[in-house]
Amino acid sequence: MVDLSAKQIEEKLIRQVTLILSVDAINIKPEAPLHTLGVDSLSFVELLVFIEKEFKIKLIESGMTWDDFRTIHSLAQCIAKPRA
Amino acid sequence: MKRYLTGIDWVINSIDYLGKSQSGIGNVSEVIIELQGQLDDKILQDALRRFLQKLPLINGLPSRDLNLCPYWKVFPQEKMLSPRINTTHLEDNTDSYLSLVTQVNEPFKNKREHLVFNLVRAGKRNLLGLTFDHRLLDARGAEAFLDLFQRYYQAGIIPQVSLLEPSRLNHWLEKFMAGRQVNRFFLGLSKSSPRILPSYPGSRICKFKIISFDVRQTNHIIEIAHEQAGYLMLMPFILAKTIQVLHHVFKAKNIPGLTYLVPVSIDTRTQERVHKELFFNHMSFFFFRINADKAGEFKFLVADIKEQMYEQVKTGLSEAVKNASFLLRIAPLPLVNFFLRLMLKKQFASFSFSFVDSDYNSQKFMEEEVQNIWHLPRVPNPPGVGIFFNQFKGRINATLSYFEGVLSDNEVSQIVADIDTIGNEG
């Protein structure tokens, strides 16, 4: 269960992407598709590991679809949704 | 001036030592730039001489400090060697590529030579090859080095490049813990009985085949990677395809073993960081172990590779490899080699693989437009065979690198045809 708002989750994700990609937060647009930010296979997996650890989500069982992973914004929205 | 070597640098030095003890040629690679127009030999030579004069570390040597930490010894500028720039003029471009391959199979002239430039003018085609010592540059660093030259050529100044690397003789507990993690992982790998092609340690000649996909084919590959492996899963997709391609060869040769063991070099640095720290080695490794019985099942392969990648990121294996490798620096190179061989019972890998993006940012080299960039890495022997992918200007290239005797001509043709198919799959 995540007790954070979508906005707070988005901020956490942005911070993590800046760390993974070693770029300034100003360059990270939450609505931009991840591949346009420079995210590749490896950095994507690093982000997934962060999401599992930070938000205590089992991604395989979460029901998240590939569309949820398109942007930081869509990811944050999906993580913030209450789950059964 | 001294620049301390990291643990990964020392592992690369160890592979260099192994190559030299087997064939007289170390851990060498070549990056090739294909140009639209003609380069002027004289202008190129003058510009390169001026540029290299400003980088005395290119004539350095590995040495050992009083604190026992290995370092790269840099000699004063006045002791620099003249750079070697070979120029070959050919009537047409039939042998242009062969002429560059020759350079990768030649030892450097002396211990302080680590770079050789090769300009091939073949008809209207111009190729510039940079043969480089992996102890000084990794693949991304070599592209960034040529880009640095281009920026120097345009602006007349060399942008700042970091050469700082502390000895890191601290945080021993962290390094020992990482060593324990890596050791346990390697012990698991050594029990997996990997399939290895028969090696020819005496073989000196490394051969290459290049497969270039055009922009349309590359877009098609990205599209099917997305469909079959998932969003952003290009590397696992390409690795799965490569395993399938080589599985046919191993199977036809009846190579015994239960798994394929594939070390994959990875480098998570951004382009900006590569350009700031372009010298020496900054990569780490993933190790994939694939059940050979299931290597023909593509869906299984993709899922298995993704799962292993996820586990290795989660457990921080690549960071642990980096950290643990610092412990090897105390040992002389013959001993490091002995340890590495012992750990994996001489079975390092079924084949080598890498997938790198481009770090040559400029559109031109000198005044000429850059058409494409490829790499010709001498694969370590064993395993004696590797497939290396790179991307440039929206195109994917693949290089098959193998030692003479390891693959027959028919097998090579089959591998090339199978890789080529990836760009045209329906």
Side-chain angles (χ1 to χ4, degrees), chain A residues 36-58:
Chain A
T36 62
L37 301 176
V39 175
D40 61 8
S41 313
L42 180 57
S43 40
F44 187 57
V45 173
E46 285 183 74
L47 185 62
L48 298 185
V49 169
F50 169 78
I51 291 168
E52 280 211 350
K53 282 186 181 168
E54 184 71 18
F55 305 114
K56 312 278 185 290
I57 293 175
K58 290 261 180 227

Side-chain angles (χ1 to χ4, degrees), chain B residues 22-49:
Chain B
Q22 283 176 344
S23 64
I25 304 166
N27 194 0
V28 176
S29 184
E30 181 163 17
V31 55
I32 296 165
I33 295 189
E34 182 180 12
L35 300 162
Q36 169 92 40
Q38 304 271 337
L39 286 181
D40 184 297
D41 304 14
K42 180 87 178 62
I43 294 174
L44 171 70
Q45 292 198 1
D46 287 349
L48 279 174
R49 277 205 181 92

Side-chain angles (χ1 to χ4, degrees), chain B residues 6-26:
Chain B
T6 64
I8 293 291
D9 283 323
W10 203 234
V11 170
I12 298 298
N13 272 264
S14 150
I15 298 170
D16 182 79
Y17 171 86
L18 175 72
K20 280 178 179 153
S21 60
Q22 283 176 344
S23 64
I25 304 166

Side-chain angles (χ1 to χ4, degrees), chain B residues 315-384:
Chain B
T315 55
L317 184 77
S318 63
E319 272 309 301
V321 168
K322 266 187 177 177
N323 250 334
S325 62
F326 280 107
L327 300 171
L328 294 171
R329 292 186 304 175
I330 188 83
L333 293 173
L335 199 59
V336 177
N337 241 294
F338 175 76
F339 280 138
L340 290 176
R341 281 166 163 268
L342 196 69
M343 267 205 289
L344 289 175
K345 294 181 181 166
K346 292 191 178 180
Q347 297 180 328
F348 288 103
S350 302
F351 61 90
S352 297
F353 173 91
S354 70
F355 185 92
V356 292
D357 215 336
S358 177
D359 285 287
Y360 191 85
N361 291 338
S362 311
Q363 293 297 312
K364 293 191 170 182
F365 184 84
M366 301 184 78
E367 303 299 332
E368 305 307 329
E369 197 181 321
V370 180
Q371 301 277 80
N372 204 347
I373 292 181
W374 339 297
H375 290 260
L376 302 180
R378 262 177 84 91
V379 62
N381 188 20

Side-chain angles (χ1 to χ4, degrees), chain B residues 55-336:
Chain B
L55 297 166
L57 93 157
I58 62 161
N59 288 144
L61 268 182
S63 193
R64 206 175 268 282
D65 206 353
L66 289 173
N67 60 14
L68 296 182
C69 189
Y71 70 95
W72 191 259
K73 186 176 183 178
V74 182
F75 296 90
Q77 205 166 18
E78 56 272 19
K79 288 194 175 175
M80 280 196 71
L81 308 171
S82 298
R84 192 144 58 99
I85 305 162
N86 302 318
T87 310
T88 312
H89 294 262
L90 301 167
E91 291 285 304
D92 57 38
N93 70 21
T94 328
D95 293 328
S96 57
Y97 152 80
L98 281 179
S99 152
L100 286 162
V101 167
T102 310
Q103 301 302 326
V104 193
N105 289 314
E106 292 291 330
F108 288 112
K109 278 195 172 160
N110 60 57
K111 285 183 178 177
R112 286 178 54 207
E113 184 180 69
H114 307 288
L115 301 173
V116 177
F117 291 86
N118 313 295
L119 173 63
V120 177
R121 299 181 67 168
K124 284 182 180 170
R125 196 183 193 202
N126 265 224
L127 299 169
L128 181 77
L130 165 63
T131 309
F132 61 94
D133 185 337
H134 257 305
R135 295 177 301 170
L136 181 68
L137 293 166
D138 58 24
R140 294 186 70 187
E143 284 194 23
F145 178 77
L146 289 172
D147 195 66
L148 186 77
F149 167 74
Q150 174 61 15
R151 286 188 284 159
Y152 168 76
Y153 178 76
Q154 281 178 323
I157 49 164
I158 295 187
Q160 199 169 1
V161 177
S162 169
L163 293 175
L164 291 175
E165 180 59 40
S167 62
R168 297 190 197 273
L169 294 168
N170 51 12
H171 301 295
W172 289 109
L173 183 63
E174 208 177 281
K175 292 181 174 69
F176 281 117
M177 296 296 275
R180 193 172 67 171
Q181 184 186 347
V182 173
N183 194 33
R184 282 179 182 164
F185 183 81
F186 276 8
L187 278 174
L189 288 185
S190 69
K191 286 174 192 156
S192 71
S193 172
R195 291 186 176 182
I196 314 280
L197 291 168
S199 72
Y200 294 78
S203 178
R204 220 175 144 265
I205 305 295
C206 192
K207 293 180 158 187
F208 302 92
K209 287 284 173 193
I210 292 170
I211 304 109
S212 283
F213 298 103
D214 60 27
V215 174
R216 185 196 60 79
Q217 289 170 316
T218 300
N219 287 337
H220 180 65
I221 292 171
I222 293 168
E223 205 174 294
I224 53 172
H226 185 164
E227 279 168 19
Q228 297 178 18
Y231 181 47
L232 291 171
M233 289 294 129
L234 183 59
M235 190 281 267
F237 173 82
I238 296 271
L239 175 57
K241 285 285 177 195
T242 305
I243 291 171
Q244 266 200 325
V245 167
L246 289 174
H247 172 59
H248 293 146
V249 176
F250 280 77
K251 207 171 147 188
K253 281 169 114 64
N254 283 322
I255 304 293
L258 301 174
T259 59
Y260 292 109
L261 182 57
V262 191
V264 175
S265 56
I266 53 159
D267 182 351
T268 54
R269 292 174 305 155
T270 55
Q271 272 197 351
E272 199 185 334
R273 266 189 71 197
V274 173
H275 283 257
K276 279 184 185 158
E277 323 162 326
L278 65 91
F279 290 104
F280 304 99
N281 288 274
H282 301 271
M283 82 278 247
S284 186
F285 298 92
F286 277 155
F287 298 88
F288 293 95
R289 184 174 45 178
I290 305 293
N291 183 343
D293 285 342
K294 292 198 164 185
E297 299 170 32
F298 191 69
K299 270 191 176 173
F300 166 82
L301 273 181
V302 168
D304 198 23
I305 289 166
K306 282 163 65 178
E307 197 179 319
Q308 291 188 42
M309 191 169 159
Y310 182 83
E311 272 309 308
Q312 291 183 33
V313 170
K314 196 172 176 179
T315 55
L317 184 77
S318 63
E319 272 309 301
V321 168
K322 266 187 177 177
N323 250 334
S325 62
F326 280 107
L327 300 171
L328 294 171
R329 292 186 304 175
I330 188 83
L333 293 173
L335 199 59
V336 177

